Amino acid sequence: MKRHFRVWRGDSSGGDLEDFDVEVNEGEVVLDVIHRLQATQTPDLACRWNCKAGKCGSCSMEINGMPRLGCMTRMSTFTADETVTITPLRTFPVIRDLVTDVSFNYEKARETPAFAPPAGVAPGEYRMQQVDVERSQEFRKCIECFLCQNTCHVVRDHEENKEAFAGPRFFIRAAELDMHPLDARTDRKQHAQQGQGLGFCNITKCCTEVCPEHIKITDNAIIPMKERVVDRRYDPLVRLGRKIFRRDQLEAAGESVPRATPATAETPSGRRLPESPALGPDGRLDIAELSAPIQGGPSPFGEDITFPLPPERVTYHHPDPS
Amino acid sequence: MTTTPTRHLYDVVVIGAGGAGLRAAIEARLAGKKTAIISKSLFGKAHTVMAEGGAAAAMGNANSRDNWMVHFRDTMRGGKFLNNFRMAELHAKEAPERIWELETYGALFDRTKDGKISQRNFGGHEYPRLAHVGDRTGLELIRTLQQKIVSLQQEDFAATGSYDARIRVFQETTITELMLDGDRVAGAFGYDRESGDLLLFEAPAVVLATGGVGRSYKVTSNSWEYTGDGHALALRAGATLINMEFLQFHPTGMVWPPSVKGILVTESVRGDGGVLRNSEGKRFMFEYVPDVFRKQYAETEEEADRWYTDPDDNRRPPELLPRDEVARAINSEVKAGRGSPAGGVFLDISTRLPAEQIIRRLPSMHHQFKELADVDITKEPMEVGPTCHYVMGGVEVDPDSGAAFGSVQGLFAAGEVSGGMHGSNRLGGNSLSDLLVFGKRAGEHAAAYLDALPSRPKVSRVDVAAATEVALAPLARADGENPYTLQQDLQAVMGDLVGIIRREGELSDALKRLHEIRLRVATVAVGGGRRYNPGWHLALDLRNMLVVSECTAKAALEREESRGGHTREDFPKMSPQWRRVNLVCSLDEGGQVHLERKPVPAMRPELFDLFERSELAKYLTDEELGEE
């Protein structure tokens, strides 16, 4: 059966949605249709893919406005006469057609301190309990499709936040190392808050929603990391202890004492950063927000929108390369 | 757009960013060499992520009777004694260290009760031996190595201010030709997918770690990258390939829906209790136990079922026979008209384990079937059939160093692209450990080769100009063959005529057709520009797929016996005479594939003594047995 598709084609200088009618067979996925387009109509249509089984995270794209893997989106999920609109990931600069420059993610990976092996434990002598490794293993399921990075409204359409914000993919990396039973570093939380811009995140759970591996990014990584950072930074005794022991160092380095309110910090350029949600008197996140009728808070797409969008409402314009 | 390649100077260039490539690069960098990693895809997407079951290493965590000698025996049996014994020996001895090392890089394997690395059962392995993480072990391995490389880059950043100072990853880059200075490797030529720019790497040592050749087949578990690049690069540089007739068809690939045809269903499903049934509901594997394995496998369903809980007092279920046996059995059932609706057989775990356990032990299989096929494996059986999975053959290498044989020097190979280690059939779980063991060795020996090199070889301008012309030719032709059509035609020839079951007439026919396709590949043309143009990329890959397919077809025609991943309907028996023969492919000056026979190296006596004489008698000639 022939189905109607609209595929964004172009490069960093601009482009537009092109219309195609393509044969679709029972049991196929969106990536099959792209391959058929390449083989029959547009041999140079650019699209990343590898495993075709949802294991490598290469074929990330936006299908009817939703960030998805092409290989995991079955054609049977659309109604019979529905137009399918395929656009590149919006948060990253377009290279060509559906291929975007995802180097942002590789740069952030380099800025995340690596696993620190425990001193004095020889290879082969590592002992860990299954129940302890499981927490980190959840995050190691990540296939680096970068859909969470793409959907996160802190950087989606906010190029200016990219420098200070590592994104959900690297929050789960920090959480993974924080929860690793044998990791020798103890500053993973501080790094997440101070080096990765964890405070930008106001837990709208969009990342969790798009994760093809169903990793509970917000609940199991971001919230625990936020809470522990809070514990550490705002426990008055700890703070007092730090002040006493570290005054010399702090003064010598000319640093100010850590702020008492979360993440209303200012960037070097004087721009105000987004705020974290308010904390309760116990220093933890207000439970009411987690049990609100809309999970996690406002959707970046607005409350009155349901996916998939009707094709006439997908007005895709890629941001300028500048 | 310029036709002058951008030059990069390195000590070691590793082509391929899967497990073997990354492990080789780590070793070369640790030896102080400036190292480039060439990745055909994005960093961390390599096909290694598809490996599900685990990495085989005789650590003895699950059964203390396991040791390297048992592992060595299993590997040789699996490969039907055609393996390069020295590689199998090194592999069995060094695999545990390589796995433990991964933990120091941050890997998190599943654990035993006493906190050690858990090990699972797998086809052909006598004891539970596979270190694993659920059924996504390959992903864990690639991510761990990727993160180790990042951590080395962080060290370099701290020391020099540049992440790329000593080890750099060139993502989405393809090498189309190796550059030689006389017989010595001088570098590698290729292009960057994203920009279409041409690149010239000047380096005295190159490690090939490009994986396999599965894209030449219609039904395959392999990704688009698996076009035999390393095999072809090695051939054109004067190296030799061995055992190219041996392709492993994984017995259980998905057969429904069509979009995922070929994608793997891990052997762990069977290791954890899954059984194969035909359309009559019969557990048919009991009828396909070959004589050489009869002693180790159960004869009744009752005994087989007891084995899962009491492996010491019962024999293994026949579902866990080596992959070639299971693939052939499924093929026979389907041919006899007892197949499933989509042309496979049924693999059932739903009636064997509680749903909760299936989800815990096989999470990504549950996920894969749910999302890709809308099948809940805790409630209904899967439909499975054989899929082209792995090539045992590859670059003929020195077992200790991974240095390629043939006329070329400075070329190394590791992982699937190298040949010999797995003989005629690879055991599941042996590939992940193979790429760690020999990846490390290749990196180490590439560095050592460099230290002994008197002067740096030079890349010749003439060669660069020739490589540029070849690379840009498909774009320059006004019209010609469509690369996608050509690939489909090639896949049809290989799938239909050089598939699981082979016959002399069909193989000769295949060679004729491959020759016709060769002429057509020379006229392939693509529209569009150089920037991320998949048509152009495929046009260049075709050349490699073709020459490798010719090697496979030629060797398959030559070898008149059935062994492991090579089944001849006209020669159904395994022949002890043929066990002594390796088929070696090279290219002559005209670019034609040349095939010759070489003796398989004879096992050292102390390794010989690890086997019972009665077992060896099934494989070896009387003459060989008499020598002992």
PDB file of all heavy atoms in Angstrom, chain A residues 106 108-114 173, chain B residues 43 144-156 163 167 169:
ATOM      1  N   TYR A 106      29.418  14.377  22.567  1.00  0.00           N
ATOM      2  CA  TYR A 106      30.745  13.800  22.762  1.00  0.00           C
ATOM      3  C   TYR A 106      31.648  14.753  23.545  1.00  0.00           C
ATOM      4  O   TYR A 106      32.511  14.324  24.306  1.00  0.00           O
ATOM      5  CB  TYR A 106      31.346  13.398  21.416  1.00  0.00           C
ATOM      6  CG  TYR A 106      30.623  12.211  20.821  1.00  0.00           C
ATOM      7  CD1 TYR A 106      29.587  12.373  19.909  1.00  0.00           C
ATOM      8  CD2 TYR A 106      30.925  10.922  21.235  1.00  0.00           C
ATOM      9  CE1 TYR A 106      28.890  11.278  19.396  1.00  0.00           C
ATOM     10  CE2 TYR A 106      30.243   9.817  20.743  1.00  0.00           C
ATOM     11  CZ  TYR A 106      29.227  10.008  19.820  1.00  0.00           C
ATOM     12  OH  TYR A 106      28.541   8.921  19.339  1.00  0.00           O
ATOM     13  N   LYS A 108      30.483  16.788  25.886  1.00  0.00           N
ATOM     14  CA  LYS A 108      30.038  16.675  27.282  1.00  0.00           C
ATOM     15  C   LYS A 108      30.563  15.386  27.910  1.00  0.00           C
ATOM     16  O   LYS A 108      30.878  15.352  29.094  1.00  0.00           O
ATOM     17  CB  LYS A 108      28.507  16.720  27.355  1.00  0.00           C
ATOM     18  CG  LYS A 108      27.918  18.064  26.943  1.00  0.00           C
ATOM     19  CD  LYS A 108      28.401  19.196  27.829  1.00  0.00           C
ATOM     20  CE  LYS A 108      27.965  20.546  27.293  1.00  0.00           C
ATOM     21  NZ  LYS A 108      28.552  21.665  28.066  1.00  0.00           N
ATOM     22  N   ALA A 109      30.650  14.327  27.113  1.00  0.00           N
ATOM     23  CA  ALA A 109      31.178  13.061  27.631  1.00  0.00           C
ATOM     24  C   ALA A 109      32.614  13.239  28.106  1.00  0.00           C
ATOM     25  O   ALA A 109      33.018  12.712  29.148  1.00  0.00           O
ATOM     26  CB  ALA A 109      31.104  11.980  26.563  1.00  0.00           C
ATOM     27  N   ARG A 110      33.378  14.009  27.359  1.00  0.00           N
ATOM     28  CA  ARG A 110      34.776  14.232  27.734  1.00  0.00           C
ATOM     29  C   ARG A 110      34.900  15.042  29.022  1.00  0.00           C
ATOM     30  O   ARG A 110      35.898  14.934  29.724  1.00  0.00           O
ATOM     31  CB  ARG A 110      35.479  15.017  26.629  1.00  0.00           C
ATOM     32  CG  ARG A 110      35.798  14.186  25.425  1.00  0.00           C
ATOM     33  CD  ARG A 110      36.402  15.087  24.395  1.00  0.00           C
ATOM     34  NE  ARG A 110      37.076  14.310  23.367  1.00  0.00           N
ATOM     35  CZ  ARG A 110      37.732  14.869  22.351  1.00  0.00           C
ATOM     36  NH1 ARG A 110      37.780  16.189  22.240  1.00  0.00           N
ATOM     37  NH2 ARG A 110      38.330  14.131  21.452  1.00  0.00           N
ATOM     38  N   GLU A 111      33.892  15.849  29.296  1.00  0.00           N
ATOM     39  CA  GLU A 111      33.975  16.694  30.489  1.00  0.00           C
ATOM     40  C   GLU A 111      33.474  15.984  31.737  1.00  0.00           C
ATOM     41  O   GLU A 111      33.527  16.543  32.828  1.00  0.00           O
ATOM     42  CB  GLU A 111      33.177  17.992  30.253  1.00  0.00           C
ATOM     43  CG  GLU A 111      33.847  18.881  29.208  1.00  0.00           C
ATOM     44  CD  GLU A 111      32.909  19.939  28.641  1.00  0.00           C
ATOM     45  OE1 GLU A 111      31.803  20.117  29.185  1.00  0.00           O
ATOM     46  OE2 GLU A 111      33.294  20.587  27.644  1.00  0.00           O
ATOM     47  N   THR A 112      32.959  14.760  31.569  1.00  0.00           N
ATOM     48  CA  THR A 112      32.491  14.001  32.732  1.00  0.00           C
ATOM     49  C   THR A 112      33.635  13.125  33.224  1.00  0.00           C
ATOM     50  O   THR A 112      34.105  12.256  32.495  1.00  0.00           O
ATOM     51  CB  THR A 112      31.300  13.110  32.337  1.00  0.00           C
ATOM     52  OG1 THR A 112      30.322  13.925  31.695  1.00  0.00           O
ATOM     53  CG2 THR A 112      30.687  12.442  33.542  1.00  0.00           C
ATOM     54  N   PRO A 113      34.103  13.338  34.465  1.00  0.00           N
ATOM     55  CA  PRO A 113      35.241  12.556  34.948  1.00  0.00           C
ATOM     56  C   PRO A 113      34.966  11.060  34.862  1.00  0.00           C
ATOM     57  O   PRO A 113      33.872  10.609  35.171  1.00  0.00           O
ATOM     58  CB  PRO A 113      35.384  12.991  36.408  1.00  0.00           C
ATOM     59  CG  PRO A 113      34.715  14.319  36.477  1.00  0.00           C
ATOM     60  CD  PRO A 113      33.624  14.299  35.455  1.00  0.00           C
ATOM     61  N   ALA A 114      35.973  10.309  34.442  1.00  0.00           N
ATOM     62  CA  ALA A 114      35.816   8.877  34.205  1.00  0.00           C
ATOM     63  C   ALA A 114      35.770   8.101  35.519  1.00  0.00           C
ATOM     64  O   ALA A 114      36.049   8.640  36.585  1.00  0.00           O
ATOM     65  CB  ALA A 114      36.965   8.372  33.349  1.00  0.00           C
ATOM     66  N   ARG A 173      24.998   9.410  33.639  1.00  0.00           N
ATOM     67  CA  ARG A 173      26.385   8.941  33.726  1.00  0.00           C
ATOM     68  C   ARG A 173      26.960   9.305  35.105  1.00  0.00           C
ATOM     69  O   ARG A 173      27.603   8.488  35.755  1.00  0.00           O
ATOM     70  CB  ARG A 173      27.211   9.573  32.593  1.00  0.00           C
ATOM     71  CG  ARG A 173      28.707   9.357  32.679  1.00  0.00           C
ATOM     72  CD  ARG A 173      29.134   7.921  32.389  1.00  0.00           C
ATOM     73  NE  ARG A 173      30.590   7.828  32.269  1.00  0.00           N
ATOM     74  CZ  ARG A 173      31.302   6.779  32.676  1.00  0.00           C
ATOM     75  NH1 ARG A 173      30.702   5.731  33.182  1.00  0.00           N
ATOM     76  NH2 ARG A 173      32.602   6.760  32.540  1.00  0.00           N
TER      77      ARG A 173
ATOM     78  N   PHE B  43      31.038   7.200  17.205  1.00  0.00           N
ATOM     79  CA  PHE B  43      31.804   6.513  18.231  1.00  0.00           C
ATOM     80  C   PHE B  43      30.833   5.827  19.207  1.00  0.00           C
ATOM     81  O   PHE B  43      29.957   6.486  19.773  1.00  0.00           O
ATOM     82  CB  PHE B  43      32.644   7.573  18.952  1.00  0.00           C
ATOM     83  CG  PHE B  43      33.644   7.041  19.927  1.00  0.00           C
ATOM     84  CD1 PHE B  43      34.214   5.797  19.782  1.00  0.00           C
ATOM     85  CD2 PHE B  43      34.068   7.841  20.994  1.00  0.00           C
ATOM     86  CE1 PHE B  43      35.160   5.341  20.676  1.00  0.00           C
ATOM     87  CE2 PHE B  43      35.010   7.392  21.894  1.00  0.00           C
ATOM     88  CZ  PHE B  43      35.552   6.146  21.733  1.00  0.00           C
ATOM     89  N   THR B 144      32.228   0.461  27.871  1.00  0.00           N
ATOM     90  CA  THR B 144      33.364   0.441  28.787  1.00  0.00           C
ATOM     91  C   THR B 144      34.639   0.857  28.060  1.00  0.00           C
ATOM     92  O   THR B 144      35.403   1.699  28.557  1.00  0.00           O
ATOM     93  CB  THR B 144      33.535  -0.974  29.370  1.00  0.00           C
ATOM     94  OG1 THR B 144      32.333  -1.326  30.052  1.00  0.00           O
ATOM     95  CG2 THR B 144      34.690  -1.035  30.333  1.00  0.00           C
ATOM     96  N   LEU B 145      34.876   0.300  26.885  1.00  0.00           N
ATOM     97  CA  LEU B 145      36.096   0.633  26.139  1.00  0.00           C
ATOM     98  C   LEU B 145      36.043   2.085  25.666  1.00  0.00           C
ATOM     99  O   LEU B 145      37.053   2.804  25.699  1.00  0.00           O
ATOM    100  CB  LEU B 145      36.265  -0.317  24.948  1.00  0.00           C
ATOM    101  CG  LEU B 145      36.545  -1.778  25.322  1.00  0.00           C
ATOM    102  CD1 LEU B 145      36.475  -2.666  24.094  1.00  0.00           C
ATOM    103  CD2 LEU B 145      37.907  -1.921  25.985  1.00  0.00           C
ATOM    104  N   GLN B 146      34.852   2.518  25.236  1.00  0.00           N
ATOM    105  CA  GLN B 146      34.680   3.904  24.809  1.00  0.00           C
ATOM    106  C   GLN B 146      35.021   4.846  25.974  1.00  0.00           C
ATOM    107  O   GLN B 146      35.752   5.827  25.802  1.00  0.00           O
ATOM    108  CB  GLN B 146      33.214   4.091  24.400  1.00  0.00           C
ATOM    109  CG  GLN B 146      32.826   5.483  23.968  1.00  0.00           C
ATOM    110  CD  GLN B 146      31.305   5.572  23.691  1.00  0.00           C
ATOM    111  OE1 GLN B 146      30.611   4.565  23.679  1.00  0.00           O
ATOM    112  NE2 GLN B 146      30.808   6.767  23.479  1.00  0.00           N
ATOM    113  N   GLN B 147      34.524   4.517  27.155  1.00  0.00           N
ATOM    114  CA  GLN B 147      34.761   5.385  28.301  1.00  0.00           C
ATOM    115  C   GLN B 147      36.209   5.319  28.756  1.00  0.00           C
ATOM    116  O   GLN B 147      36.746   6.308  29.264  1.00  0.00           O
ATOM    117  CB  GLN B 147      33.789   5.012  29.432  1.00  0.00           C
ATOM    118  CG  GLN B 147      32.379   5.502  29.092  1.00  0.00           C
ATOM    119  CD  GLN B 147      31.278   4.865  29.920  1.00  0.00           C
ATOM    120  OE1 GLN B 147      31.515   3.916  30.661  1.00  0.00           O
ATOM    121  NE2 GLN B 147      30.068   5.393  29.787  1.00  0.00           N
ATOM    122  N   LYS B 148      36.859   4.172  28.551  1.00  0.00           N
ATOM    123  CA  LYS B 148      38.287   4.089  28.867  1.00  0.00           C
ATOM    124  C   LYS B 148      39.080   5.013  27.931  1.00  0.00           C
ATOM    125  O   LYS B 148      40.014   5.692  28.367  1.00  0.00           O
ATOM    126  CB  LYS B 148      38.774   2.649  28.714  1.00  0.00           C
ATOM    127  CG  LYS B 148      40.268   2.454  28.901  1.00  0.00           C
ATOM    128  CD  LYS B 148      40.729   2.802  30.310  1.00  0.00           C
ATOM    129  CE  LYS B 148      42.232   2.644  30.467  1.00  0.00           C
ATOM    130  NZ  LYS B 148      42.675   3.020  31.830  1.00  0.00           N
ATOM    131  N   ILE B 149      38.690   5.048  26.677  1.00  0.00           N
ATOM    132  CA  ILE B 149      39.390   5.927  25.738  1.00  0.00           C
ATOM    133  C   ILE B 149      39.172   7.381  26.125  1.00  0.00           C
ATOM    134  O   ILE B 149      40.108   8.183  26.139  1.00  0.00           O
ATOM    135  CB  ILE B 149      38.947   5.619  24.297  1.00  0.00           C
ATOM    136  CG1 ILE B 149      39.654   4.336  23.854  1.00  0.00           C
ATOM    137  CG2 ILE B 149      39.270   6.770  23.344  1.00  0.00           C
ATOM    138  CD1 ILE B 149      39.213   3.763  22.567  1.00  0.00           C
ATOM    139  N   VAL B 150      37.944   7.717  26.507  1.00  0.00           N
ATOM    140  CA  VAL B 150      37.682   9.075  26.969  1.00  0.00           C
ATOM    141  C   VAL B 150      38.544   9.384  28.196  1.00  0.00           C
ATOM    142  O   VAL B 150      39.098  10.475  28.319  1.00  0.00           O
ATOM    143  CB  VAL B 150      36.178   9.274  27.264  1.00  0.00           C
ATOM    144  CG1 VAL B 150      35.938  10.562  28.012  1.00  0.00           C
ATOM    145  CG2 VAL B 150      35.378   9.257  25.973  1.00  0.00           C
ATOM    146  N   SER B 151      38.694   8.413  29.082  1.00  0.00           N
ATOM    147  CA  SER B 151      39.491   8.687  30.286  1.00  0.00           C
ATOM    148  C   SER B 151      40.964   8.881  29.934  1.00  0.00           C
ATOM    149  O   SER B 151      41.650   9.709  30.547  1.00  0.00           O
ATOM    150  CB  SER B 151      39.282   7.598  31.337  1.00  0.00           C
ATOM    151  OG  SER B 151      40.271   6.601  31.248  1.00  0.00           O
ATOM    152  N   LEU B 152      41.455   8.151  28.923  1.00  0.00           N
ATOM    153  CA  LEU B 152      42.836   8.385  28.459  1.00  0.00           C
ATOM    154  C   LEU B 152      42.941   9.787  27.859  1.00  0.00           C
ATOM    155  O   LEU B 152      43.934  10.492  28.053  1.00  0.00           O
ATOM    156  CB  LEU B 152      43.246   7.332  27.427  1.00  0.00           C
ATOM    157  CG  LEU B 152      43.446   5.916  27.974  1.00  0.00           C
ATOM    158  CD1 LEU B 152      43.626   4.919  26.826  1.00  0.00           C
ATOM    159  CD2 LEU B 152      44.657   5.856  28.903  1.00  0.00           C
ATOM    160  N   GLN B 153      41.901  10.195  27.126  1.00  0.00           N
ATOM    161  CA  GLN B 153      41.908  11.533  26.533  1.00  0.00           C
ATOM    162  C   GLN B 153      41.890  12.599  27.633  1.00  0.00           C
ATOM    163  O   GLN B 153      42.513  13.645  27.487  1.00  0.00           O
ATOM    164  CB  GLN B 153      40.694  11.699  25.611  1.00  0.00           C
ATOM    165  CG  GLN B 153      40.818  10.877  24.339  1.00  0.00           C
ATOM    166  CD  GLN B 153      39.620  11.034  23.416  1.00  0.00           C
ATOM    167  OE1 GLN B 153      38.490  11.163  23.874  1.00  0.00           O
ATOM    168  NE2 GLN B 153      39.855  11.011  22.120  1.00  0.00           N
ATOM    169  N   GLN B 154      41.196  12.302  28.736  1.00  0.00           N
ATOM    170  CA  GLN B 154      41.184  13.259  29.845  1.00  0.00           C
ATOM    171  C   GLN B 154      42.573  13.388  30.464  1.00  0.00           C
ATOM    172  O   GLN B 154      43.006  14.485  30.814  1.00  0.00           O
ATOM    173  CB  GLN B 154      40.150  12.830  30.895  1.00  0.00           C
ATOM    174  CG  GLN B 154      38.724  13.050  30.409  1.00  0.00           C
ATOM    175  CD  GLN B 154      37.679  12.413  31.320  1.00  0.00           C
ATOM    176  OE1 GLN B 154      38.007  11.617  32.205  1.00  0.00           O
ATOM    177  NE2 GLN B 154      36.416  12.761  31.086  1.00  0.00           N
ATOM    178  N   GLU B 155      43.278  12.249  30.561  1.00  0.00           N
ATOM    179  CA  GLU B 155      44.663  12.309  31.064  1.00  0.00           C
ATOM    180  C   GLU B 155      45.516  13.159  30.133  1.00  0.00           C
ATOM    181  O   GLU B 155      46.322  13.976  30.580  1.00  0.00           O
ATOM    182  CB  GLU B 155      45.271  10.896  31.131  1.00  0.00           C
ATOM    183  CG  GLU B 155      44.775  10.067  32.282  1.00  0.00           C
ATOM    184  CD  GLU B 155      45.305   8.633  32.207  1.00  0.00           C
ATOM    185  OE1 GLU B 155      46.365   8.397  31.568  1.00  0.00           O
ATOM    186  OE2 GLU B 155      44.639   7.748  32.781  1.00  0.00           O
ATOM    187  N   ASP B 156      45.327  12.971  28.829  1.00  0.00           N
ATOM    188  CA  ASP B 156      46.118  13.730  27.865  1.00  0.00           C
ATOM    189  C   ASP B 156      45.773  15.214  27.931  1.00  0.00           C
ATOM    190  O   ASP B 156      46.633  16.073  27.783  1.00  0.00           O
ATOM    191  CB  ASP B 156      45.864  13.209  26.438  1.00  0.00           C
ATOM    192  CG  ASP B 156      46.367  11.779  26.272  1.00  0.00           C
ATOM    193  OD1 ASP B 156      47.170  11.340  27.116  1.00  0.00           O
ATOM    194  OD2 ASP B 156      45.957  11.119  25.314  1.00  0.00           O
ATOM    195  N   TYR B 163      42.554  17.180  24.236  1.00  0.00           N
ATOM    196  CA  TYR B 163      42.011  15.826  24.374  1.00  0.00           C
ATOM    197  C   TYR B 163      42.557  14.901  23.293  1.00  0.00           C
ATOM    198  O   TYR B 163      42.681  13.706  23.472  1.00  0.00           O
ATOM    199  CB  TYR B 163      40.482  15.853  24.271  1.00  0.00           C
ATOM    200  CG  TYR B 163      39.775  16.417  25.473  1.00  0.00           C
ATOM    201  CD1 TYR B 163      39.154  17.661  25.424  1.00  0.00           C
ATOM    202  CD2 TYR B 163      39.708  15.698  26.662  1.00  0.00           C
ATOM    203  CE1 TYR B 163      38.486  18.169  26.529  1.00  0.00           C
ATOM    204  CE2 TYR B 163      39.044  16.201  27.768  1.00  0.00           C
ATOM    205  CZ  TYR B 163      38.428  17.442  27.697  1.00  0.00           C
ATOM    206  OH  TYR B 163      37.773  17.936  28.786  1.00  0.00           O
ATOM    207  N   ILE B 167      45.435  10.341  21.327  1.00  0.00           N
ATOM    208  CA  ILE B 167      44.499   9.362  20.769  1.00  0.00           C
ATOM    209  C   ILE B 167      43.271  10.128  20.284  1.00  0.00           C
ATOM    210  O   ILE B 167      42.685  10.912  21.017  1.00  0.00           O
ATOM    211  CB  ILE B 167      44.154   8.265  21.811  1.00  0.00           C
ATOM    212  CG1 ILE B 167      43.273   7.181  21.214  1.00  0.00           C
ATOM    213  CG2 ILE B 167      43.506   8.813  23.058  1.00  0.00           C
ATOM    214  CD1 ILE B 167      43.223   5.906  22.052  1.00  0.00           C
ATOM    215  N   VAL B 169      39.617  10.036  17.858  1.00  0.00           N
ATOM    216  CA  VAL B 169      38.610   9.235  17.163  1.00  0.00           C
ATOM    217  C   VAL B 169      38.119  10.018  15.951  1.00  0.00           C
ATOM    218  O   VAL B 169      37.669  11.157  16.093  1.00  0.00           O
ATOM    219  CB  VAL B 169      37.422   8.913  18.093  1.00  0.00           C
ATOM    220  CG1 VAL B 169      36.419   8.027  17.361  1.00  0.00           C
ATOM    221  CG2 VAL B 169      37.904   8.239  19.365  1.00  0.00           C
TER     222      VAL B 169
END
